[in-house]
Amino acid sequence: MKSKYIKEAMLIIISFVIGGVLTYVVIGKDINIGSTNNGSTGLTCSSANCTKVVVDESGISEAVSKVYDGVLLVRNYQQNQVASTGTGFVYKIDGDDAYIITNQHVVDGASKVTVVTSKDEEIEGTVLGGDSYVDIAVIRIKKTDDLIALQLGNSENSNLGDLVFTVGNPLGYEYRGSVATGHLAGKDRLVSVSTDNSLSSDWVMKVLQTDAAINPGNSGGPLMNANGEVIGVISMKLVQTEVEGMGFAIPIEYVNSKIETLEKGEEIEWPLLGVQMLNVTDAKGSYRYNFDIPNDIDSGVVIAGIESGTGADNSDLQEGDIVIAVNGEEVADSAYLRYELYKYSVGDTIELTYIRDGKEHKTKVTLTKSSNE
């Protein structure tokens, strides 16, 4: 009996020893790995000359230091007073000039625009061009030694849940240079907006969504990945009592497709359909209009008028027709119709699906030239 207890005790001791050795091997290996790398590297770079950073317990300070001197406070002066402020960032330095991206709504109506650098130097700038549909404007200033140009990345390579951050000026000068971090919460979101500060939406923007803190004054700032590459331009946030942490940024690829035109001071050439548009929901709910809209039609765009000499004038469209699709893509209202329309160029021919007398029809329309519809 005594021999039996001794054998059991020996087995228990041997088990503890073997378990301890295995634990040391497994945990010790992990500790050694951790000791050679105190953090995880940033996302894969999306531009050729990007330098990857380390994200560790200190946060993203390394990435912030890479970009901080390239983010600026933008001041909109009207009647010799600061009417509003926003954010901008340097995307190019060419000779003695620095070129800055911001939102069009940040500089809209300004008689003078200045930028304030991270070193608190105020410099007057020239707005070279801007567009309310893209919501992008380009400012040129004389460069200083402290300014740096940010690297433009690629939002298409970003994944949901990726760490992102922004540097901006929430609420203006007092909180300039504030850093906010978050995650990429959504891609290819379609958000209805107003381009003329009215209550009705006339445009749909395809944007990136982030839960990083976005406040008034952040508009025009860069949304960046963990390596400090710009993947979007902050444009707006969803403001509702029950909503928290829903900010949006224009993908940098879309900005890049328009920036050269604006930099040259040229207007973006938007195609013209040539119709006056009225949302079905507005036409149904108003006594001002006398269009015959079937009860089962609750979305689409009523043709309220046709401009002479345009593509619509040379098509089968008539006043009172209800457009429900562009090249097979459904349109709920005039904002979505314009969004689908502006995917095309002057001279392109599109197919419109419309309702007339309760029946569905199709017609071809060749888009004509217009700087703004």
Side-chain angles (χ1 to χ4, degrees):
M1 183 69 68
K2 183 176 182 181
S3 173
K4 179 181 178 182
Y5 290 145
I6 292 174
K7 287 181 179 180
E8 291 180 353
M10 289 298 293
L11 286 174
I12 293 172
I13 293 171
I14 291 171
S15 297
F16 273 117
V17 171
I18 293 174
V21 171
L22 290 175
T23 302
Y24 173 79
V25 170
V26 175
I27 297 178
K29 185 178 180 181
D30 288 341
I31 291 173
N32 286 336
I33 292 173
S35 65
T36 58
N37 181 9
N38 291 324
S40 59
T41 56
L43 299 174
T44 300
C45 290
S46 58
S47 60
N49 57 347
C50 166
T51 303
K52 294 181 72 174
V53 303
V54 174
V55 179
D56 56 19
E57 64 275 4
S58 67
I60 55 168
S61 56
E62 184 180 345
V64 172
S65 65
K66 286 176 58 177
V67 304
Y68 201 75
D69 289 336
V71 182
L72 312 167
L73 171 74
V74 179
R75 282 174 165 163
N76 177 327
Y77 282 86
Q78 298 180 24
Q79 298 180 344
N80 296 321
Q81 294 183 356
V82 176
S84 61
T85 61
T87 304
F89 63 93
V90 179
Y91 71 94
K92 182 175 77 171
I93 294 177
D94 185 10
D96 293 330
D97 295 321
Y99 294 81
I100 298 160
I101 289 174
T102 189
N103 289 149
Q104 168 61 22
H105 75 260
V106 170
V107 299
D108 194 32
S111 57
K112 182 177 77 169
V113 169
T114 68
V115 300
V116 180
T117 71
S118 62
K119 303 297 189 267
D120 211 27
E121 180 180 2
E122 186 169 12
I123 306 169
E124 186 167 353
T126 300
V127 178
L128 299 179
D131 185 272
S132 57
Y133 288 115
V134 186
D135 197 21
I136 291 295
V138 177
I139 303 171
R140 184 181 62 205
I141 64 170
K142 290 299 180 183
K143 76 174 184 67
T144 66
D145 293 337
D146 297 324
L147 287 177
I148 61 169
L150 274 57
Q151 293 175 335
L152 304 185
N154 187 326
S155 71
E156 294 176 356
N157 294 337
S158 300
N159 299 310
L160 296 182
D162 280 350
L163 175 67
V164 295
F165 74 100
T166 186
V167 180
N169 309 291
L171 306 182
Y173 182 81
E174 184 178 0
Y175 297 103
R176 66 193 182 282
S178 294
V179 178
T181 61
H183 300 87
L184 187 62
K187 299 177 70 174
D188 298 330
R189 300 295 198 203
L190 295 179
V191 180
S192 297
V193 298
S194 170
T195 61
D196 57 4
N197 295 321
S198 65
L199 296 178
S200 60
S201 300
D202 61 349
W203 177 239
V204 173
M205 297 184 72
K206 181 181 284 189
V207 291
L208 306 171
Q209 180 186 336
T210 179
D211 59 358
I214 304 299
N215 292 288
N218 280 114
S219 292
L223 182 68
M224 294 165 282
N225 62 25
N227 287 309
E229 297 176 297
V230 181
I231 63 170
V233 179
I234 301 296
S235 181
M236 65 188 119
K237 69 173 294 186
L238 196 59
V239 182
Q240 295 179 14
T241 304
E242 65 274 20
V243 174
E244 183 67 33
M246 291 185 67
F248 301 98
I250 308 164
I252 197 62
E253 294 83 4
Y254 188 56
V255 174
N256 276 334
S257 70
K258 308 296 182 183
I259 203 70
E260 185 176 350
T261 299
L262 299 179
E263 190 179 296
K264 292 178 180 178
E266 300 173 356
E267 290 187 348
I268 294 175
E269 191 177 77
W270 299 111
L272 176 68
L273 178 60
V275 299
Q276 298 170 13
M277 297 184 287
L278 179 66
N279 294 336
V280 165
T281 51
D282 294 334
K284 272 189 168 183
S286 175
Y287 294 105
R288 294 174 53 194
Y289 308 106
N290 191 29
F291 295 111
D292 184 18
I293 303 174
N295 291 331
D296 60 341
I297 302 296
D298 54 12
S299 65
V301 178
V302 181
I303 304 299
I306 298 177
E307 298 180 31
S308 177
T310 63
D313 189 35
N314 296 319
S315 73
D316 296 329
L317 289 176
Q318 296 178 10
E319 186 174 319
D321 290 344
I322 305 169
V323 177
I324 59 173
V326 176
N327 280 351
E329 296 291 335
E330 293 184 4
V331 292
D333 53 28
S334 59
Y336 276 86
L337 175 57
R338 187 175 281 108
Y339 168 75
E340 292 296 334
L341 176 67
Y342 285 0
K343 291 179 179 178
Y344 302 95
S345 302
V346 172
D348 287 348
T349 298
I350 61 174
E351 181 182 72
L352 297 182
T353 304
Y354 63 95
I355 303 293
R356 180 187 298 167
D357 298 328
K359 298 180 179 180
E360 187 174 300
H361 304 270
K362 296 181 187 293
T363 187
K364 300 286 187 179
V365 179
T366 299
L367 303 175
T368 52
K369 182 178 180 179
S370 175
S371 60
N372 200 348
E373 187 180 15

